[in-house]
């Protein structure tokens, strides 16, 4: 089934030159000024507007329409460099506005020299690919830009048709893109002008390395390349050497583990057996606020969704065992505000553009500090403030200390009054029993249906990883 994310209808005539349309220019007042922490400022004065960065009028108008009043730090740093034609390694935390930082220069060049298959953006996950495409379409809506999203878990035929229509921009996960490069007649990226690798560290973490090598081999050497990553790793070094030509490094973080300043990070240290009670206490404390609740496993995501339901708290689960349309549907419901709580495995931790999350609750601690940074990056985005609370039990001390060490600071304990928390214990105990029964019933139903190795789309959690399933991530 086709994804249900809202898509703009764009002109089908790909040969038609891209037109600039002029809209009245709104006033620019600062909402997300460039950070003073930039460790490679390129200018003494921070540019105040997109126009100051060299962005053309129609794209400035598109930014204004999206309410992008002032360039963010990564945009202020990287757009002029990209417009000057240099390759870029961009180190920017999640929520920093990095998508527009690479999309605007590409769209600007596309306006000048319109051609099909102009830009390719590689992203690690399907959701991120859809988001990037939406942002390209939103920024390029005034200039008739056409994008195709090529990701695993979806039918290949409509994707081949979309590619045959010669889009300007292809946003893809690497496995499925390589499938099309190998099998789809007439599809070639030989004329490509721009390559972007977004969340590049994650692309490598997900073992896309060998696939990226194959893709790079069929791309023209004469091209511009931008690589964006929230964290820098040694693994990335060889990729940057292979893919980028004399790049400029743009960094808006002073440390690979820096998190944004308006994010309050807290922890609670409690016995493992009280995790659910504390969880419910927090959800009551933050009633009415948007929250992502992170768990380690699909089972725990399901159990917590049942537990919350039994307590009359509506939430929506997001994990890798849901098929693609269910995942997009879950995200859309959450984005649209019909649910306040998203219960997610780390499939939701990276790159997803979920605006205004007030609270990130690490019900289970993440397996490593990099994932921690990405999880908490779901809140306090684009200048807003946010809270992240991590539940630490007797079993998590070692990993918690590793996270603190990587952050380079001790976090404050969240002040939870034990007596107030324990008020919920009886109701939570009942809800736990209900949740366990629901899980049992669900498992029995699945067994009856002949076992569930994954959905029709082949992205099941327990299945052997195929190239097509790689972009689904674990969990
Ligand atoms: P990203 O880091 O690209 O995922 O962007 C994070 C969020 O910031 C997205 O919701 C963007 O729409 C938004 N955004 C990007 N650039 C700006 C800007 N200059 N001003 C305000 N919001 C922005």
């Amino acid at each position: 089934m086709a994804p249900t994310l809202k898509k703009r209808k764009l002109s089908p005539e790909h040969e038609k030159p891209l037109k600039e349309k002029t809209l009245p220019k709104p006033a620019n007042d600062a909402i997300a000024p460039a950070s003073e922490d930039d460790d490679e400022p390129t200018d003494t004065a921070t540019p105040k507007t997109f126009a100051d960065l060299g962005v053309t009028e129609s794209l400035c108008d598109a930014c204004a329409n999206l309410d992008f009043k002032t360039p963010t730090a990564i945009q202020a740093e990287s757009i002029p460099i990209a417009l000057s034609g240099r390759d870029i390694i961009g180190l920017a935390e999640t929520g920093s506005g990095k998508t527009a930082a690479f999309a605007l220069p590409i769209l600007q060049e596309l306006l000048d020299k319109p051609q099909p298959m102009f830009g390719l953006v590689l992203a690690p996950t399907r959701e991120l690919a859809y988001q990037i495409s939406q942002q390209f379409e939103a920024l390029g809506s005034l200039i008739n830009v056409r994008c195709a999203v090529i990701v695993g878990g979806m039918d290949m035929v409509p994707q081949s048709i979309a590619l045959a229509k010669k889009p300007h921009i292809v946003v893809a996960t690497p496995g499925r893109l390589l499938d099309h490069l190998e099998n789809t007649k007439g599809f070639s990226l030989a004329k490509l002008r721009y390559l972007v690798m977004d969340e590049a560290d994650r692309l490598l973490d997900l073992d896309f390395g060998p696939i990226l090598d194959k893709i790079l081999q069929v791309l023209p050497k004469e091209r511009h390349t931008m690589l964006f990553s929230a964290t820098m790793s040694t693994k990335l070094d060889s990729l940057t050497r292979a893919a980028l030509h004399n790049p400029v490094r743009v960094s808006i973080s002073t440390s690979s583990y820096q998190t944004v300043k308006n994010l309050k990070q807290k922890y609670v240290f409690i016995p493992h057996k009280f995790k659910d009670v504390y969880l419910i206490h927090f959800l009551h404390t933050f009633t009415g606020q948007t929250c992502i609740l992170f768990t380690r496993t699909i089972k725990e995501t399901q159990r917590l969704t049942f537990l919350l339901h039994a307590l009359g708290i509506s939430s929506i689960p997001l994990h890798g065992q849901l098929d693609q349309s269910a995942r997009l549907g879950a995200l859309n419901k959450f984005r649209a505000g019909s649910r306040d709580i998203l219960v997610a495995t780390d499939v939701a931790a990276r790159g997803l553009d979920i605006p205004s999350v007030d609270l990130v609750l690490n019900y289970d601690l993440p397996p490593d500090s990099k994932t921690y940074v990405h999880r908490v990056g779901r809140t306090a985005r684009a200048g807003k403030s946010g809270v992240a609370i991590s539940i630490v039990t007797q079993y998590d001390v070692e990993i918690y200390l590793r996270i603190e060490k990587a952050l380079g600071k001790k976090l404050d304990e969240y002040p939870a009054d034990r007596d107030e928390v324990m008020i919920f214990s009886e109701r939570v105990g009942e809800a736990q029993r209900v949740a366990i029964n629901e899980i049992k019933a669900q498992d029995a139903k699945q067994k009856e249906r002949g076992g569930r190795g994954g959905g029709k789309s082949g992205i099941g959690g327990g299945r052997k990883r195929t190239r097509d399933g790689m972009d689904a991530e674990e969990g």
Side-chain angles (χ1 to χ4, degrees):
M1 211 177 76
T4 48
L5 287 185
K6 54 180 185 280
K7 279 207 151 214
R8 254 169 247 259
K9 284 254 175 342
L10 294 162
S11 159
E13 315 125 75
H14 66 269
E15 305 305 344
K16 205 168 114 189
L18 299 166
K19 273 202 231 97
E20 292 197 39
K21 291 184 202 160
T22 320
L23 291 180
K25 247 181 166 308
N28 275 299
D29 31 276
I31 59 151
S35 147
E36 281 162 16
D37 279 356
D38 305 358
D39 62 4
E40 286 181 36
T42 48
D43 215 337
T44 42
T46 307
K48 291 282 178 295
T49 66
F50 284 99
D52 292 340
L53 302 177
V55 176
T56 199
E57 197 176 350
S58 59
L59 292 172
C60 289
D61 292 337
C63 290
N65 285 347
L66 291 176
D67 214 20
F68 294 2
K69 292 178 180 147
T70 322
T72 63
I74 190 69
Q75 290 161 1
E77 291 291 318
S78 52
I79 288 174
I81 296 169
L83 288 175
S84 78
R86 295 285 302 270
D87 283 3
I88 288 181
I89 300 174
L91 282 180
E93 58 217 18
T94 326
S96 59
K98 63 190 159 68
T99 313
F102 60 74
L104 286 168
I106 294 178
L107 289 168
Q108 183 142 329
E109 180 87 3
L110 178 65
L111 256 174
D112 241 20
K113 302 175 189 118
Q115 69 160 66
M117 305 297 178
F118 186 84
L120 167 67
V121 184
L122 293 173
T125 65
R126 300 164 190 187
E127 285 83 0
L128 182 58
Y130 281 110
Q131 276 171 211
I132 293 169
S133 163
Q134 282 181 331
Q135 188 134 160
F136 262 97
E137 290 185 348
L139 287 169
S141 63
L142 301 174
I143 56 169
N144 294 327
V145 74
R146 281 191 326 282
C147 299
V149 179
I150 303 298
V151 293
M154 309 296 278
D155 197 338
M156 282 197 59
V157 177
Q159 293 181 350
S160 304
I161 295 170
L163 291 172
K165 287 185 182 159
K166 310 269 182 233
H168 301 112
I169 308 291
V170 175
V171 186
T173 50
R176 180 54 74 89
L177 182 79
L178 188 58
D179 281 347
H180 279 286
L181 282 167
E182 289 171 349
N183 302 311
T184 299
K185 271 208 183 106
F187 171 49
S188 152
L189 291 170
K191 298 244 157 55
L192 191 83
R193 303 289 309 276
Y194 273 88
L195 167 68
V196 177
M197 287 179 275
D198 196 16
E199 302 270 3
D201 51 347
R202 190 62 169 171
L203 283 169
L204 295 181
D205 284 352
L206 289 171
D207 294 335
F208 279 127
I211 295 176
L212 288 176
D213 290 342
K214 284 191 182 158
I215 294 172
L216 288 171
Q217 275 167 24
V218 300
L219 301 184
K221 297 269 170 299
E222 282 288 302
R223 58 156 205 266
H224 301 290
T225 307
M226 295 186 252
L227 180 145
F228 282 83
S229 182
T231 51
M232 197 69 195
S233 68
T234 43
K235 261 200 208 168
L236 268 181
D237 277 353
S238 56
L239 177 64
T240 54
R241 267 196 292 275
L244 286 91
H245 174 67
N246 192 18
V248 180
R249 193 172 150 134
V250 178
S251 168
I252 60 154
S253 303
T254 47
S255 122
S256 347
Y257 289 105
Q258 189 173 357
T259 43
V260 287
K261 286 188 218 88
N262 42 352
L263 165 66
K264 286 198 187 75
Q265 300 175 78
K266 307 272 178 191
Y267 76 96
V268 281
F269 185 52
I270 55 161
H272 184 267
K273 62 179 177 185
F274 294 140
K275 276 176 98 170
D276 286 349
V277 190
Y278 272 81
L279 167 69
I280 301 307
H281 168 75
F282 290 134
L283 293 180
H284 269 87
T285 310
F286 288 85
T287 300
Q289 310 221 31
T290 46
C291 167
I292 304 186
L293 187 56
F294 279 110
T295 69
R296 277 271 189 105
T297 62
I298 294 173
K299 262 267 136 42
E300 200 61 343
T301 302
Q302 292 168 331
R303 190 188 69 83
L304 286 181
T305 309
F306 286 132
L307 178 94
L308 296 183
H309 186 252
L311 288 162
I313 303 170
S314 78
S315 66
I316 191 141
L318 181 71
H319 54 73
Q321 209 175 57
L322 297 171
D323 71 22
Q324 182 63 3
S325 49
R327 285 160 70 177
L328 290 173
L331 267 180
N332 281 345
K333 266 191 195 157
F334 187 67
R335 273 203 203 102
S338 72
R339 297 283 201 293
D340 290 338
I341 300 167
L342 188 70
V343 188
T345 57
D346 282 303
V347 75
R350 298 281 307 217
L352 300 184
D353 179 18
I354 304 163
S356 339
V357 179
D358 304 306
L359 173 68
V360 166
L361 245 174
N362 286 322
Y363 176 85
D364 293 324
L365 275 189
D368 54 65
S369 38
K370 234 161 77 172
T371 310
Y372 174 89
V373 173
H374 289 294
R375 282 188 184 185
V376 301
R378 305 295 94 211
T379 185
R381 309 186 75 189
K384 298 195 187 89
S385 60
V387 180
I389 303 176
S390 296
I391 296 181
V392 185
T393 73
Q394 67 271 34
Y395 305 117
D396 309 314
V397 175
E398 203 187 318
I399 176 68
Y400 181 72
L401 292 176
R402 274 213 302 275
I403 291 170
E404 271 196 343
K405 195 168 170 220
L407 293 172
K409 61 180 172 192
K410 291 258 168 239
L411 303 186
D412 291 330
E413 185 155 13
Y414 187 90
D417 182 305
R418 202 188 134 109
D419 293 339
E420 265 179 41
V421 175
M422 287 306 151
I423 291 171
F424 295 102
S425 65
E426 201 172 312
R427 286 182 58 211
V428 169
E430 279 162 28
Q432 282 171 329
R433 283 187 285 280
V434 174
I436 286 168
N437 286 338
E438 299 261 18
I439 288 274
K440 278 186 191 152
Q442 178 182 279
D443 287 350
K445 235 190 247 166
Q446 274 171 9
K447 247 190 214 140
E448 229 174 73
R449 276 200 234 114
R452 235 193 101 130
K456 288 185 284 250
S457 51
I459 55 168
R463 285 160 67 113
K464 193 166 160 279
R465 243 148 83 118
T466 59
R467 187 196 278 175
D468 190 50
M470 286 171 75
D471 58 3
E473 295 196 24
E474 297 300 317

